[in-house]
Amino acid sequence: RRQKKTASHAVTELENSKDCSQAGKPLFCPSHPTEELRLFCEQCDQPVCRDCVVDRHRQHPYDFTGNVIHRHGDALRELLKDTQQHMGTLEGVLSQIDDMGSAVRSRAEAVATEICLFASGYVKAIEEHRDRLLKQLEDLKVQKENLLHLQKAQLQQLLLDMRTGVEFTERLLTSGSDLEILITKGVVASRLAKLNSIAYNTHPSVDNGIQFSRQERAGQCSGYEVFGAILNKVVDPARCTLHGEDLHSARQNQLTGFTLLCNDTTGERMGRGGEAVRVTITHKDKRDCAVKPTVCDNGDGTYHISYSPEEPGLYAVCIYVKGQHVQGSPFTLVVKNKFREHQGVFHCCTFCSSGGQKAARCACGGTMPGGYQGCGHGHKGHPGCPHWSCCGQVKESSECLGGPPSDTSQRSLLRTVVL
């Protein structure tokens, strides 16, 4: 207190300074240590002293701190309020995140349990399906072996009978007298003829056509959908058939086709696709003229063959399955000229359709008295029903059969059409 610079300072006991608040103590200007910060520069947004106002903050708007504290304090309090709200929101979000993390862990454990149960059940179903397939395969093998054993026994017995008959006949012919041969020839010939008339299969009654398809749906096993099936059917080209209305005829530049139905060795439908089908369509007179067909596998044992011939004439059609001709192959295909549209008019008579023109003609060949060159009702040559003026066809939805008309008749027909 005795020093001039600190005479106006507030002095407290040292042991009481810890509890003493810093509020109320004067703050001095860092640029002017002897001057207290009592003013606030609005432009620079900072506290200043009297010397600062005179020096660096000259002409800046300012006011006493006591006058501006309320305005700036209120702004700080609004910002503080907003910040506190964000803090509450963040704390709530963090709490939700922690709760969600716990829920995710719990749910993941539950799903893991479900996956393990599903996988174990699926494995069990697959093993059951495997055992069922193996049992089916074993039954199929035994069935085929039994059929082969039966066929073998029958053929062995037939061979034994034939060998006995042959040996007896040879011995008779080499060692028997003429009288013995003549006496026994009837019985021997009857026996040999009977043996020769016995029908037998020159091929094994079954084949080794046993396949396993991984993609084949096999239904459900213990509530699980399983795949994989044993395929016993083998396509037989000799039993495959062709179907279609336009099998032996087609039109020039017109898309047409037919269907190939694949069957197995027993004549039953294959029911699945994937066979090697090859089709060739070649012109019989023009060796360099061939039609490129399109084969569409329907996946159910049927194949649609479509083509569009560019030249009329006779074609040879060959359909192969596994390199062998199917039933009905090869066959002859007749390609007719493209469909000719009618150039005339479908009318009752030229007299009516032309408005009584005498020069109007008709391809039906009808005539009328009085110099008319066309047909009329009830007159000579009239077909007695509506017909085409260009060719005389009585069916409206038909192909034009008339040839190219002459210039005179063409003008008359065109005039008839216009009228």
Side-chain angles (χ1 to χ4, degrees):
R1 291 185 182 274
R2 291 194 296 270
Q3 296 182 13
K4 183 178 179 181
K5 291 184 178 182
T6 59
S8 60
H9 290 187
V11 180
T12 59
E13 296 291 335
L14 186 60
E15 52 269 15
N16 297 330
S17 62
K18 295 180 180 180
D19 299 329
C20 182
S21 175
Q22 296 296 326
K25 289 187 176 181
L27 297 178
F28 295 91
C29 179
S31 302
H32 309 92
T34 59
E35 293 295 331
E36 188 176 351
L37 296 173
R38 295 184 177 181
L39 302 174
F40 186 81
C41 179
E42 297 287 353
Q43 181 174 339
C44 298
D45 195 28
Q46 66 178 24
V48 294
C49 65
R50 289 181 301 176
D51 293 346
C52 291
V53 170
V54 177
D55 187 11
R56 291 183 301 173
H57 298 271
R58 182 180 300 173
Q59 295 181 351
H60 288 188
Y62 66 91
D63 199 350
F64 287 100
T65 56
N67 297 333
V68 299
I69 188 60
H70 300 291
R71 178 162 50 85
H72 290 279
D74 293 341
L76 285 177
R77 277 186 287 272
E78 290 295 330
L79 291 175
L80 176 62
K81 183 178 180 181
D82 295 339
T83 305
Q84 289 174 343
Q85 291 179 353
H86 285 297
M87 288 176 60
T89 303
L90 290 173
E91 290 175 353
V93 172
L94 290 174
S95 177
Q96 292 179 3
I97 291 175
D98 293 337
D99 295 341
M100 185 57 66
S102 301
V104 167
R105 287 188 294 271
S106 301
R107 185 57 186 160
E109 293 175 358
V111 173
T113 303
E114 292 180 6
I115 292 175
C116 292
L117 291 175
F118 171 79
S120 60
Y122 211 161
V123 170
K124 184 178 179 181
I126 292 176
E127 291 177 349
E128 182 179 346
H129 182 52
R130 176 201 61 193
D131 297 338
R132 187 170 60 184
L133 288 175
L134 293 176
K135 178 65 168 54
Q136 182 181 353
L137 179 62
E138 181 66 22
D139 295 341
L140 183 59
K141 184 194 73 170
V142 172
Q143 178 186 0
K144 287 180 176 289
E145 288 179 344
N146 290 338
L147 292 175
L148 290 174
H149 287 320
L150 178 61
Q151 184 186 15
K152 183 178 180 181
Q154 293 174 346
L155 293 179
Q156 285 177 343
Q157 183 62 44
L158 180 59
L159 179 61
L160 180 60
D161 295 340
M162 286 185 175
R163 184 177 288 117
T164 303
V166 168
E167 291 176 355
F168 180 82
T169 306
E170 289 177 346
R171 191 163 55 248
L172 175 64
L173 293 174
T174 56
S175 303
S177 63
D178 295 343
L179 185 59
E180 290 175 342
I181 294 176
L182 293 175
I183 292 174
T184 58
K185 79 174 185 63
V187 177
V188 174
S190 176
R191 176 60 176 169
L192 292 179
K194 184 177 180 180
L195 291 175
N196 291 334
S197 64
I198 297 177
Y200 58 91
N201 194 355
T202 57
H203 300 283
S205 58
V206 297
D207 50 37
N208 62 344
I210 303 176
Q211 299 178 0
F212 177 70
S213 176
R214 301 180 182 180
Q215 295 81 14
E216 197 80 15
R217 293 181 179 271
Q220 289 191 349
C221 187
S222 299
Y224 294 87
E225 186 177 4
V226 291
F227 294 84
I230 295 177
L231 304 178
N232 183 33
K233 292 185 176 182
V234 178
V235 65
D236 185 0
R239 294 182 179 270
C240 297
T241 56
L242 301 172
H243 303 272
E245 296 181 357
D246 300 329
L247 188 61
H248 298 282
S249 63
R251 287 281 184 181
Q252 180 184 5
N253 295 329
Q254 182 175 341
L255 184 64
T256 184
F258 54 90
T259 301
L260 168 65
L261 176 59
C262 289
N263 299 319
D264 62 2
T265 54
T266 63
E268 294 183 0
R269 185 169 169 177
M270 289 296 295
R272 57 182 173 85
E275 302 296 340
V277 178
R278 185 168 65 92
V279 181
T280 60
I281 305 176
T282 55
H283 201 288
K284 287 190 173 183
D285 299 328
K286 302 177 182 179
R287 296 300 177 184
D288 57 344
C289 179
V291 179
K292 186 176 181 181
T294 301
V295 179
C296 178
D297 187 352
N298 297 324
D300 57 356
T302 62
Y303 301 81
H304 184 71
I305 295 93
S306 58
Y307 59 95
S308 178
E310 297 181 356
E311 294 287 339
L314 297 179
Y315 287 79
V317 183
C318 299
I319 298 96
Y320 304 92
V321 173
K322 291 186 174 180
Q324 302 179 26
H325 282 283
V326 301
Q327 187 180 142
S329 173
F331 62 89
T332 301
L333 171 67
V334 180
V335 177
K336 302 178 182 179
N337 290 318
K338 59 183 178 180
F339 189 87
R340 291 189 294 180
E341 301 287 345
H342 290 281
Q343 301 299 321
V345 59
F346 192 72
H347 61 180
C348 59
C349 67
T350 53
F351 182 82
C352 296
S353 61
S354 66
Q357 296 291 326
K358 289 187 175 183
R361 297 176 179 270
C362 184
C364 72
T367 59
M368 295 175 60
Y372 287 93
Q373 301 180 19
C375 60
H377 298 287
H379 294 285
K380 181 180 177 181
H382 190 277
C385 59
H387 55 281
W388 285 99
S389 63
C390 49
C391 62
Q393 285 267 61
V394 296
K395 187 177 180 180
E396 185 173 5
S397 59
S398 60
E399 181 184 7
C400 184
L401 301 179
S406 61
D407 292 341
T408 305
S409 60
Q410 185 176 7
R411 285 195 297 268
S412 300
L413 291 177
L414 290 176
R415 185 178 182 184
T416 302
V417 172
V418 173
L419 289 176

